[in-house]
Amino acid sequence: MDKKILKIIITLLLMVSVSVICIFGYKYSQRHTDTQSKDVIENFVENVDQQYDQVNKKVAAGYLNKEKIFLAKDLDQKKLDDIQQSINNFENEYNAALANLKSLNSDDLASYQSQVQAEKDKVNQLLTNFQSLQKKFASQKAINGLFEHPFLTGDKQNKEVLITASLKQADFDQVKKANYAKDAKDDYQKALNQGLDIAEGQIKAVTQAKDLYNQLYKDKTVTEQANQASLDQVKQLIGQIKNPKIRDSFTEGLQAIEATVQAQATTQTETTTDSTTNTDGTMNQDTSMYDTTPNYNYGGNNTSNYNPSAENGANTGGTGNQNNQGQQTGGNQDTGTGSSEEPTPSTPNPETPQNDNEFIGENGGNFTWNE
């Protein structure tokens, strides 16, 4: 036989052999894959109920009781993460079984497909239950975070809680928007609303106090708006703040405002005192009620008789003009009812001679010296 023909025959035989091996190998591999897929699917179908119950119990344990209204007292983020991992594992096994259906032959596919797909409702139910638990946990955590101590633990409310010193109005508004329900349908939501109301009342008091405080004390300086009335008002508002840490944050400015108002009062008092004091330090007084002018009674002819030998005398004035004449009888008594006009001094007659005992007064009146 020709060598060329022999080589061709050998080559053809080798090719056939390789083809046969590949075909048998593929069929073997297909059967192996089919077997593995069936194992995965069968394992899931056989254990799905047990796994579902285990995960569902973990979710239920996150609640206080079987009513599933309030959260368990000991529920924390770590336990929640553990439940999440269990649900993820359950979902992954379901997805693996679902993917392996594609590797089954037509006969096996018809047998297992309905069983796997039937478990989809359980997966969705677990996810729904866990999401509800997650949402409640997040809401309770957010509202408890408004206060220095938890407001809601289990089904118990601590209504004496104090908002945190760092709580800002914007942060509170965000929490309220996400968690407040106007028409609360269950006790859990009503409790959340109660906590939000308590926080809102306290932060409102802080905001009102800060608004007025910032008007009176700005950039570490007391403003012109500070007076006794505004000081009393801001003190009242600060006094309504329940958290002592927040109240203490106003101390620096409040002391400065008080010092300024006290200084204003002192200045005003000194100004009032100065307005009633003379430059020489004596007090201004209305002395018009005191008559310090000596009482000179002039007679009708402006003459005065002085009798040194008399021990007592009495002054009697005539009607119309004040009179200094009279007999001294024991005490000076002015019984005259003269007019308020000044007496007109009489002018001496130059033709009338004067004796040695008579002289002209300073105002022109004649006065006689009686010995």
Side-chain angles (χ1 to χ4, degrees), residues 120-307:
K120 183 177 181 180
D121 291 340
K122 292 182 179 179
V123 175
N124 291 338
Q125 187 63 48
L126 283 177
L127 290 173
T128 300
N129 293 344
F130 180 68
Q131 288 171 356
S132 179
L133 181 66
Q134 273 186 316
K135 184 178 179 181
K136 282 194 171 185
F137 180 82
S139 295
Q140 182 167 311
K141 182 179 180 181
I143 292 174
N144 283 344
L146 299 174
F147 305 98
E148 291 193 338
H149 299 92
F151 162 74
L152 183 63
T153 304
D155 58 350
K156 305 300 181 183
Q157 301 177 32
N158 179 9
K159 297 183 179 180
E160 301 302 320
V161 288
L162 305 176
I163 59 172
T164 62
S166 60
L167 181 61
K168 296 180 174 56
Q169 183 70 50
D171 296 333
F172 168 78
D173 292 340
Q174 185 176 0
V175 173
K176 181 178 180 180
K177 183 179 180 180
N179 299 283
Y180 191 86
K182 185 177 181 180
D183 298 322
K185 296 181 179 180
D186 57 45
D187 292 338
Y188 177 78
Q189 185 59 56
K190 291 178 181 178
L192 296 185
N193 288 356
Q194 180 68 34
L196 288 168
D197 289 341
I198 292 174
E200 186 170 29
Q202 293 189 30
I203 199 170
K204 183 178 180 180
V206 175
T207 301
Q208 289 178 339
K210 280 186 176 180
D211 288 344
L212 181 56
Y213 175 82
N214 292 334
Q215 294 178 29
L216 306 180
Y217 189 70
K218 187 175 182 180
D219 297 330
K220 295 189 178 297
T221 303
V222 179
T223 69
E224 295 179 353
Q225 298 184 46
N227 52 44
Q228 188 61 54
S230 60
L231 174 61
D232 293 341
Q233 185 179 3
V234 76
K235 278 185 174 181
Q236 181 184 9
L237 293 175
I238 294 174
Q240 294 175 357
I241 298 174
K242 290 189 174 183
N243 191 325
K245 295 178 182 178
I246 301 178
R247 289 200 304 267
D248 292 344
S249 67
F250 293 94
T251 300
E252 176 185 342
L254 201 58
Q255 289 177 346
I257 297 170
E258 286 179 331
T260 299
V261 172
Q262 184 177 3
Q264 290 174 350
T266 302
T267 302
Q268 185 177 3
T269 302
E270 293 175 349
T271 302
T272 303
T273 303
D274 291 343
S275 66
T276 59
T277 307
N278 294 320
T279 57
D280 60 356
T282 59
M283 298 297 292
N284 287 328
Q285 296 181 354
D286 184 3
T287 58
S288 60
M289 62 183 292
Y290 301 104
D291 186 4
T292 58
T293 305
N295 185 16
Y296 294 106
N297 294 321
Y298 297 94
N301 58 357
N302 292 326
T303 61
S304 176
N305 294 324
Y306 177 74
N307 189 352

Side-chain angles (χ1 to χ4, degrees), residues 5-33:
I5 296 174
L6 183 60
K7 288 183 178 180
I8 293 173
I9 293 173
I10 294 174
T11 301
L12 291 173
L13 291 173
L14 289 173
M15 291 177 63
V16 171
S17 298
V18 170
S19 297
V20 171
I21 293 173
C22 288
I23 291 171
F24 279 103
Y26 171 76
K27 288 183 177 181
Y28 175 80
S29 176
Q30 184 67 27
R31 287 196 299 270
H32 181 71
T33 301

